[in-house]
Amino acid sequence: MKESTVIDVNINPEEPRTISLFGYELIREVLLPEILGKDTPEILYWAGKRLARKYPLEDFDQVIEFFHNASWGQLDVKKEVKNEIEIELLSPLLVSRVKSKAEHFFQLEAGFLAQQIELQKGVVAEAFEHPIKKGNTVLFTVKWDSKDYLD
């Protein structure tokens, strides 16, 4: 019988933790693109949506906490209007990725954000990434149509 793995998304944020930047980048920037090839951005987007369905969160504060606990970085809502929200992602792990001349994707995070907004608002949502090299950040724009309800 296959044993299932349970991940506690409510890890105590006060506990000290270390993340190997090399290990993270090795998997994220070398191994995944090698395996996924030219479809890497699209697959990562749908993987992010899948993760969000596996870990549905009740409100955006929980999304912020999830990003922190997953060591994806700190989210900050920059602007929210009727059918759109702009979210900035800050993380020390982003600095080398954003500054690099190589192509990097933040589609895992974009897909996760889009799906969480879908689940929370009950409408279809889509997210777009905008890496900002000078600021070493990534800006995400999540858009939805209030008339495009989920079935």
Side-chain angles (χ1 to χ4, degrees):
M1 181 182 294
K2 186 177 179 184
E3 210 175 294
S4 65
T5 303
V6 176
I7 298 173
D8 182 7
V9 295
N10 297 312
I11 295 171
N12 182 356
E14 301 301 316
E15 290 179 17
R17 58 188 153 153
T18 59
I19 298 170
S20 165
L21 178 58
F22 175 71
Y24 179 82
E25 293 296 310
L26 188 64
I27 292 169
R28 175 94 182 221
E29 300 300 319
V30 178
L31 183 61
L32 284 177
E34 184 71 27
I35 293 169
L36 303 175
K38 65 178 176 58
D39 297 321
T40 298
E42 293 82 8
I43 294 172
L44 288 178
Y45 187 84
W46 291 105
K49 289 180 78 86
R50 174 83 178 187
L51 280 174
R53 286 190 296 273
K54 188 169 182 85
Y55 298 101
L57 303 169
E58 292 180 21
D59 58 38
F60 203 78
D61 287 338
Q62 287 185 350
V63 174
I64 291 170
E65 184 178 357
F66 185 95
F67 267 68
H68 174 76
N69 291 342
S71 297
W72 287 356
Q74 177 63 42
L75 289 179
D76 184 25
V77 175
K78 290 304 198 183
K79 182 173 89 174
E80 186 169 2
V81 293
K82 185 178 177 186
N83 294 325
E84 179 179 307
I85 186 169
E86 286 186 5
I87 307 158
E88 182 178 52
L89 177 63
L90 302 160
S91 169
L93 297 174
L94 297 178
V95 174
S96 64
R97 290 173 66 200
V98 172
K99 281 187 173 180
S100 167
K101 292 183 181 181
E103 191 171 20
H104 296 282
F105 306 105
F106 300 91
Q107 290 297 295
L108 181 70
E109 297 88 342
F112 188 87
L113 289 169
Q115 187 64 46
Q116 290 297 346
I117 296 296
E118 278 192 19
L119 294 170
Q120 291 173 13
K121 295 192 178 290
V123 295
V124 175
E126 190 172 1
F128 307 92
E129 67 173 68
H130 315 283
I132 303 170
K133 292 185 182 225
K134 288 184 181 179
N136 297 319
T137 64
V138 179
L139 187 65
F140 295 97
T141 304
V142 183
K143 296 182 177 190
W144 60 90
D145 181 351
S146 298
K147 298 173 188 153
D148 196 1
Y149 294 102
L150 296 175
D151 292 329

